[in-house]
Amino acid sequence: LRQIVQDQCVVHWLQEENPAPCESVYLADVVHKSDGYAVLADIKGGAHFLLIPTKSIAGIESPDVLSPQAPNYFAAAWQARDRVAAVLGHAVRRDDVGLAVNSQQHRSQDQLHIHIECLGRQVHRVLQAAADRLTNRWTAINLERWQYQGMRVMGEDLDQANPFALLAQRMPGAREDMGAYTLMVAGMQFKEGPGFIVLTGKNVPGTELLLDSTCAIANR
C-alpha cells in the first residue's frame, strides 16, 4: 500500500493531476507531500475502500497518528464514504457506514490504512440497540463472544473529534499500548441528532471483520 500511494498515486497526481491507481489524492501542499492521504479501492473488490496516509506510518501504534499536525484521517475517511455509494449506485445511510483500523497483531500490512465499508448486519443490529445507552464515556458492547468498548460522538462529521485521540486520552493505559487496540467508527442517527459510535477493543479480532464489502445492509 505504501508503494502504491507514494510511488504511483502521489507521483501521478503531482505530474498529471491524475490520482490513478487511487481514487483520489489530497496533499496539504506540494512541498510537504507527505502531509496528506489517498483513497484506494481495495484489491478484493466490492464497496470497500482504503484511506491511506501519504506519509510512511506503520499503524495505530505510531506516534504520528496523535501528532497535532497530523490530518484527521478518520474525518477524511468519513468524507470518502461517497465512494461506497458510487459502487452501489444509490445513497447510503450514515448508520450503514463503518470505518475500521486493525490492531498491530491483526493487520496485513505495516502501512496505516482505514477500511471504508458498510457495517455487517449483526453489528448494525447490536449498535442500533446500544445507541441509547451510550455516552461520552466508554461502555461495554458485546459482539459475539468478544467484548468491545463504545462511546458516542455527536456531529455531522468528525472534524472536531479524532478517534485516535479519543482512544489515547480516554481509555486508561491505551496511549502506552495503542498497537494492541483495534478501532472502528460507525455513523449513527441518535435521538438527539447525527453522530457516531466509536468502538474499540484490546486483544480482540480486528474491527475490519465487523464490516461488509457487499454492503448488504444498505440494500434493505
Side-chain angles (χ1 to χ4, degrees), residues 23-24 26 37 39 49 51 72-86 94 97-99 114-116 155-161 185 196:
E23 298 284 319
S24 62
Y26 167 81
Y37 46 83
V39 176
F49 294 85
L51 184 128
N72 186 334
Y73 295 117
F74 269 102
W78 178 251
Q79 294 301 325
R81 71 191 186 281
D82 62 330
R83 304 290 173 174
V84 172
R94 68 178 295 118
V97 179
L99 316 170
I114 299 177
H115 296 266
I116 307 167
E156 283 279 359
D157 53 45
L158 288 163
D159 290 348
Q160 304 303 316
V185 176
F196 302 87

Side-chain angles (χ1 to χ4, degrees), residues 117-195:
E117 302 177 64
C118 288
L119 298 173
R121 287 189 183 276
Q122 181 186 3
V123 177
H124 185 272
R125 285 195 296 270
V126 170
L127 295 185
Q128 290 289 326
D132 288 346
R133 63 184 177 88
L134 296 182
T135 67
N136 61 357
R137 296 177 180 273
W138 295 111
T139 301
I141 296 178
N142 292 315
L143 286 164
E144 296 183 352
R145 60 190 183 92
W146 303 99
Q147 186 178 88
Y148 295 81
Q149 300 290 321
M151 68 163 55
R152 79 172 184 175
V153 172
M154 301 302 296
E156 283 279 359
D157 53 45
L158 288 163
D159 290 348
Q160 304 303 316
N162 185 332
F164 288 122
L166 291 176
L167 174 59
Q169 295 166 2
R170 300 191 187 184
M171 180 67 72
R175 183 180 292 272
E176 294 74 33
D177 197 17
M178 289 283 284
Y181 288 84
T182 185
L183 191 59
M184 187 182 83
V185 176
M188 183 58 62
Q189 187 66 41
F190 296 101
K191 291 178 179 178
E192 296 82 0

Side-chain angles (χ1 to χ4, degrees), residues 88-118:
L88 297 177
H90 59 77
V92 179
R93 291 166 42 148
R94 68 178 295 118
D95 61 359
D96 289 341
V97 179
L99 316 170
V101 169
N102 291 325
S103 65
Q104 190 171 5
Q105 177 185 359
H106 291 98
R107 68 178 182 234
S108 60
Q109 300 201 32
D110 288 334
Q111 171 64 24
L112 180 68
H113 53 286
I114 299 177
H115 296 266
I116 307 167
E117 302 177 64
C118 288

